[in-house]
Amino acid sequence: MSSKTNERIVVTKDDARIAIIAQRIAEIESRLPPLQITSTDSDSSALKNIKIGVNEFLQDRDAIGSRLAQLGVVGYSTFSGLKAPDQRAVAVSQYLPNETRDYIIRLAGELGFKHYTIFDNVEEEAEEEVLFGSYGGSLRTIARSA
Protein backbone atom coordinates (compact mmCIF):
# COMPACT_ATOMS: atom_id res chain seq x y z
CA MET A 1 0.00 0.00 0.00
CA SER A 2 1.21 3.47 -0.82
CA SER A 3 2.01 5.81 2.08
CA LYS A 4 1.03 8.67 -0.19
CA THR A 5 -2.33 7.52 -1.62
CA ASN A 6 -3.31 4.49 0.48
CA GLU A 7 -3.80 2.52 -2.74
CA ARG A 8 -2.26 -0.75 -3.91
CA ILE A 9 1.04 -0.30 -5.78
CA VAL A 10 1.11 -1.96 -9.22
CA VAL A 11 4.54 -2.29 -10.83
CA THR A 12 5.48 -3.63 -14.30
CA LYS A 13 8.62 -5.77 -14.75
CA ASP A 14 10.51 -2.90 -16.37
CA ASP A 15 9.44 -0.51 -13.62
CA ALA A 16 10.49 -3.08 -11.02
CA ARG A 17 13.96 -3.34 -12.55
CA ILE A 18 14.33 0.42 -12.63
CA ALA A 19 13.10 0.65 -9.04
CA ILE A 20 15.68 -1.94 -7.94
CA ILE A 21 18.47 0.01 -9.63
CA ALA A 22 17.24 3.30 -8.15
CA GLN A 23 16.98 1.66 -4.72
CA ARG A 24 20.55 0.37 -4.97
CA ILE A 25 21.79 3.82 -5.96
CA ALA A 26 19.91 5.38 -3.05
CA GLU A 27 21.36 2.78 -0.66
CA ILE A 28 24.87 3.57 -1.89
CA GLU A 29 24.23 7.30 -1.51
CA SER A 30 22.94 6.77 2.04
CA ARG A 31 26.22 5.05 2.95
CA LEU A 32 28.26 8.07 1.90
CA PRO A 33 29.46 10.16 4.83
CA PRO A 34 27.11 13.05 5.59
CA LEU A 35 28.12 16.57 4.67
CA GLN A 36 29.76 18.35 7.56
CA ILE A 37 27.44 20.99 9.00
CA THR A 38 29.24 24.14 10.07
CA SER A 39 28.55 25.81 13.38
CA THR A 40 26.53 28.55 11.64
CA ASP A 41 24.07 26.01 10.28
CA SER A 42 21.13 24.81 12.33
CA ASP A 43 19.21 21.54 12.30
CA SER A 44 16.61 23.20 10.08
CA SER A 45 19.17 23.55 7.27
CA ALA A 46 18.71 19.81 6.79
CA LEU A 47 15.23 20.51 5.40
CA LYS A 48 16.30 22.85 2.61
CA ASN A 49 17.00 20.13 0.02
CA ILE A 50 14.33 17.64 1.08
CA LYS A 51 11.14 17.16 -0.92
CA ILE A 52 8.16 17.41 1.43
CA GLY A 53 4.48 16.64 0.91
CA VAL A 54 1.55 17.73 3.10
CA ASN A 55 -1.79 15.90 3.00
CA GLU A 56 -4.63 18.10 1.75
CA PHE A 57 -6.98 16.60 4.35
CA LEU A 58 -4.99 18.02 7.29
CA GLN A 59 -6.94 20.91 8.77
CA ASP A 60 -3.73 22.61 9.90
CA ARG A 61 -1.89 22.21 6.57
CA ASP A 62 -1.42 25.98 6.28
CA ALA A 63 0.12 26.16 9.76
CA ILE A 64 2.43 23.27 8.81
CA GLY A 65 3.40 25.15 5.64
CA SER A 66 4.12 28.30 7.68
CA ARG A 67 6.34 26.36 10.10
CA LEU A 68 8.21 24.77 7.18
CA ALA A 69 8.74 28.24 5.67
CA GLN A 70 10.15 29.48 9.01
CA LEU A 71 12.65 26.61 8.82
CA GLY A 72 13.81 27.61 5.32
CA VAL A 73 11.68 25.30 3.18
CA VAL A 74 10.90 27.12 -0.07
CA GLY A 75 7.96 24.95 -1.14
CA TYR A 76 6.19 21.64 -0.73
CA SER A 77 3.71 19.50 -2.62
CA THR A 78 0.25 18.44 -1.52
CA PHE A 79 -1.21 14.95 -1.81
CA SER A 80 -4.19 12.94 -0.65
CA GLY A 81 -5.95 9.63 -0.96
CA LEU A 82 -9.71 9.24 -1.22
CA LYS A 83 -10.20 10.01 2.46
CA ALA A 84 -8.35 11.52 5.40
CA PRO A 85 -5.71 9.34 7.05
CA ASP A 86 -6.84 7.37 10.12
CA GLN A 87 -3.84 8.45 12.21
CA ARG A 88 -1.87 11.68 12.41
CA ALA A 89 1.42 10.33 11.07
CA VAL A 90 4.49 11.41 9.15
CA ALA A 91 6.35 9.11 6.73
CA VAL A 92 10.09 9.63 6.40
CA SER A 93 12.24 8.12 3.63
CA GLN A 94 14.55 5.32 4.67
CA TYR A 95 17.22 6.91 2.48
CA LEU A 96 17.58 10.10 4.53
CA PRO A 97 20.50 10.27 6.98
CA ASN A 98 19.61 9.20 10.53
CA GLU A 99 20.21 12.71 11.92
CA THR A 100 17.83 14.20 9.36
CA ARG A 101 15.19 11.54 10.04
CA ASP A 102 15.41 12.18 13.78
CA TYR A 103 15.09 15.95 13.25
CA ILE A 104 11.99 15.50 11.05
CA ILE A 105 10.39 13.15 13.58
CA ARG A 106 11.02 15.68 16.40
CA LEU A 107 9.58 18.43 14.20
CA ALA A 108 6.52 16.29 13.47
CA GLY A 109 6.00 15.85 17.21
CA GLU A 110 6.12 19.63 17.65
CA LEU A 111 3.51 19.95 14.89
CA GLY A 112 1.14 17.64 16.74
CA PHE A 113 1.84 14.39 14.91
CA LYS A 114 1.57 11.30 17.11
CA HIS A 115 3.13 8.65 14.86
CA TYR A 116 5.80 8.13 12.22
CA THR A 117 6.79 5.45 9.78
CA ILE A 118 9.87 4.87 7.67
CA PHE A 119 8.99 4.29 4.02
CA ASP A 120 10.70 3.47 0.74
CA ASN A 121 9.91 6.46 -1.47
CA VAL A 122 11.87 4.89 -4.34
CA GLU A 123 9.74 1.73 -4.36
CA GLU A 124 6.57 3.79 -4.00
CA GLU A 125 7.75 6.11 -6.78
CA ALA A 126 7.11 9.13 -4.59
CA GLU A 127 9.37 12.09 -5.24
CA GLU A 128 8.70 13.33 -1.71
CA GLU A 129 11.01 12.14 1.04
CA VAL A 130 8.73 13.30 3.84
CA LEU A 131 4.93 12.99 3.92
CA PHE A 132 3.08 14.86 6.65
CA GLY A 133 -0.31 13.13 6.95
CA SER A 134 0.79 9.79 5.50
CA TYR A 135 -1.34 6.68 5.20
CA GLY A 136 -0.68 3.24 6.65
CA GLY A 137 2.67 1.63 7.18
CA SER A 138 4.14 0.23 10.37
CA LEU A 139 3.47 3.12 12.72
CA ARG A 140 5.72 3.99 15.62
CA THR A 141 4.84 6.45 18.37
CA ILE A 142 6.73 9.73 18.54
CA ALA A 143 8.34 10.09 21.97
CA ARG A 144 7.37 13.18 23.91
CA SER A 145 9.17 14.83 26.79
CA ALA A 146 7.12 15.49 29.90
Side-chain angles (χ1 to χ4, degrees):
M1 298 298 277
S2 171
S3 293
K4 187 173 176 180
T5 64
N6 201 34
E7 295 177 7
R8 184 176 293 268
I9 299 171
V10 179
V11 182
T12 65
K13 277 187 174 184
D14 288 339
D15 288 343
R17 288 182 186 130
I18 292 170
I20 289 169
I21 292 169
Q23 183 176 6
R24 288 182 181 159
I25 291 170
E27 287 172 1
I28 291 168
E29 288 175 340
S30 71
R31 292 180 186 161
L32 295 174
L35 295 174
Q36 296 298 318
I37 297 175
T38 64
S39 59
T40 59
D41 290 336
S42 65
D43 282 341
S44 64
S45 67
L47 295 178
K48 291 182 180 175
N49 295 315
I50 294 176
K51 294 180 179 148
I52 298 173
V54 178
N55 194 313
E56 293 176 354
F57 282 111
L58 295 177
Q59 293 180 359
D60 62 340
R61 66 185 171 277
D62 292 334
I64 293 169
S66 294
R67 180 66 177 130
L68 293 172
Q70 289 173 354
L71 296 172
V73 175
V74 176
Y76 60 89
S77 64
T78 57
F79 68 94
S80 70
L82 297 176
K83 61 177 187 141
D86 295 330
Q87 303 272 347
R88 190 163 168 90
V90 62
V92 183
S93 172
Q94 69 184 27
Y95 303 109
L96 291 176
N98 289 339
E99 300 83 18
T100 304
R101 268 190 271 166
D102 291 347
Y103 176 74
I104 292 166
I105 293 166
R106 284 193 311 272
L107 172 62
E110 292 171 14
L111 292 170
F113 287 82
K114 307 286 187 211
H115 303 281
Y116 73 96
T117 187
I118 306 300
F119 81 117
D120 187 340
N121 64 306
V122 174
E123 181 180 304
E124 292 191 23
E125 296 183 358
E127 73 175 271
E128 297 90 354
E129 298 159 299
V130 177
L131 298 170
F132 287 99
S134 66
Y135 296 91
S138 177
L139 295 178
R140 299 172 182 156
T141 301
I142 296 175
R144 301 199 181 275
S145 57

